[in-house]
Amino acid sequence: MKHQRGVALTGLILWGIVLILVAVLGMKVIPSVIEYYKIQNAIKAVVEKAKPEATVPELRASFDKFAQVDQLAFPSKNLDIFKNNRGLVVIEFAYDKKIPLFANASLLIEYKGTTAK
């Protein structure tokens, strides 16, 4: 007697639902992750471009220019700007992003970034 091989209809439907849920989650999370990397790249560019005598307002203005080009909704007032013990400019940031999934369920992602090495 031959045994049938293949996927049952219920298994196919179940995996289809799982794939759809993963795709929807990805579509909601990926823009947030892209925004984080844009902020990270902007603060690195600000530090690379900064002169040793640059002031905090000048650094914030420089970040705002990068944010305007990249269309970031992240304000420069949320940046922590200071000089480390070697006299190098360090910029840090941290924020939470709440992503609504469905009904009353949300996903909370805590982002942190720094230019310190």
Side-chain angles (χ1 to χ4, degrees):
M1 181 170 171
K2 285 187 162 181
H3 294 288
Q4 290 184 350
R5 290 191 241 166
V7 178
L9 180 61
T10 55
L12 183 65
I13 292 172
L14 177 69
W15 281 108
I17 290 171
V18 168
L19 287 175
I20 289 171
L21 289 175
V22 168
V24 168
L25 181 67
M27 286 189 292
K28 290 185 177 236
V29 171
I30 288 174
S32 174
V33 173
I34 291 171
E35 179 186 43
Y36 165 75
Y37 282 111
K38 283 183 177 181
I39 295 169
Q40 186 71 31
N41 289 336
I43 64 171
K44 285 181 182 178
V46 168
V47 168
E48 288 174 4
K49 200 173 119 174
K51 296 177 182 171
E53 66 276 357
T55 63
V56 172
E58 290 172 345
L59 295 171
R60 289 188 194 283
S62 180
F63 175 82
D64 286 335
K65 289 177 186 175
F66 281 104
Q68 185 177 12
V69 169
D70 285 338
Q71 298 178 347
L72 297 174
F74 189 79
S76 61
K77 67 178 181 175
N78 292 344
L79 298 175
D80 294 326
I81 303 173
F82 58 93
K83 289 190 177 186
N84 63 9
N85 55 4
R86 293 182 283 156
L88 301 174
V89 174
V90 176
I91 301 177
E92 295 179 345
F93 67 94
Y95 66 99
D96 296 340
K97 186 75 169 191
K98 184 177 179 183
I99 301 170
L101 297 176
F102 54 89
N104 60 352
S106 298
L107 177 65
L108 179 68
I109 303 175
E110 297 175 354
Y111 290 111
K112 290 182 181 179
T114 184
T115 59
K117 294 177 184 171

